[in-house]
């Protein structure tokens, strides 16, 4: 592999905690596809890992709850013809998935008062539209 995959900050995916499995892929490769195990599947034990800070771990477990299989996050890649490239793709995807799942929640939205100019403009445009529509009928003008 091409080195440690950074999740965020100084936290990286530990190679020792990644479980790899390879199988035949249905992706590109022609006759080659029937003879070699090019699909890469990586499993990461999210429930049992010690490499993530406890707060990140709780956040990731909550956000990825519907995707976990026995506490493991599973990512597959079979886009490329070579096992090595599929392995790289799966590891990068896993790191991106964990980075997104461990990200802090966004700041809560604070309600603001609607500016007076916005309301005045809206009412003025409604009045203009009303005048245009009223002008399309024969009634209402000059009476």
């Amino acid at each position: 592999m091409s080195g440690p995959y950074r999740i965020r900050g100084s936290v990286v995916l530990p190679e020792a905690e990644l479980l790899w499995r390879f199988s035949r892929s249905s992706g590109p490769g022609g006759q080659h596809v029937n003879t070699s195990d090019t699909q890469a599947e990586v499993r990461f034990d999210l429930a049992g890992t010690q490499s993530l800070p406890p707060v990140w771990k709780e956040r990731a477990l909550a956000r990825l709850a519907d995707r976990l299989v026995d506490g493991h996050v599973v990512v597959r890649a079979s886009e490329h013809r070579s096992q090595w490239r599929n392995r790289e793709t799966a590891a990068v995807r896993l790191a991106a998935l964990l980075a997104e799942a461990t990200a802090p929640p966004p700041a809560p939205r604070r309600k603001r008062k609607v500016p007076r100019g916005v309301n005045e403009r809206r009412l003025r445009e409604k009045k203009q539209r009303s005048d245009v529509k009223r002008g399309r009928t024969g009634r209402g003008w000059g009476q």
Side-chain angles (χ1 to χ4, degrees):
M1 296 207 18
S2 69
Y5 293 97
R6 192 165 308 286
I7 296 175
R8 204 170 54 251
S10 63
V11 179
V12 295
L13 273 176
E15 183 66 34
E17 292 186 20
L18 299 180
L19 303 170
W20 292 96
R21 198 175 93 187
F22 304 100
S23 60
R24 292 199 176 135
S25 173
S26 62
Q31 293 175 345
H32 172 76
V33 79
N34 299 324
T35 60
S36 61
D37 295 336
T38 57
Q39 176 175 301
E41 176 183 295
V42 62
R43 298 171 76 87
F44 179 68
D45 185 9
L46 185 58
T49 186
Q50 297 298 318
S51 61
L52 293 178
V55 175
W56 288 19
K57 187 174 167 180
E58 290 172 19
R59 202 179 292 157
L61 284 170
R63 290 183 182 169
L64 298 175
D66 57 341
R67 190 177 171 141
L68 294 178
V69 179
D70 297 329
H72 289 77
V73 179
V74 181
V75 176
R76 285 190 188 98
S78 62
E79 294 83 38
H80 305 290
R81 186 179 161 118
S82 81
Q83 185 186 99
W84 183 81
R85 286 181 66 193
N86 283 330
R87 189 176 166 138
E88 288 288 311
T89 303
V92 167
R93 268 197 219 146
L94 178 63
L97 180 70
L98 289 174
E100 185 178 330
T102 59
R109 183 181 178 273
R110 294 194 308 229
K111 293 178 85 172
R112 301 274 192 227
K113 185 178 172 190
V114 178
R116 186 173 15 169
V118 170
N119 267 338
E120 289 174 356
R121 188 173 339 139
R122 179 180 61 84
L123 293 174
R124 187 174 55 248
E125 289 170 358
K126 282 179 71 165
K127 178 74 174 149
Q128 288 173 351
R129 187 72 183 151
S130 171
D131 290 343
V132 167
K133 288 190 170 193
R134 192 169 353 111
R136 291 182 184 154
T137 66
R139 299 187 315 255
W141 289 92
Q143 291 178 354

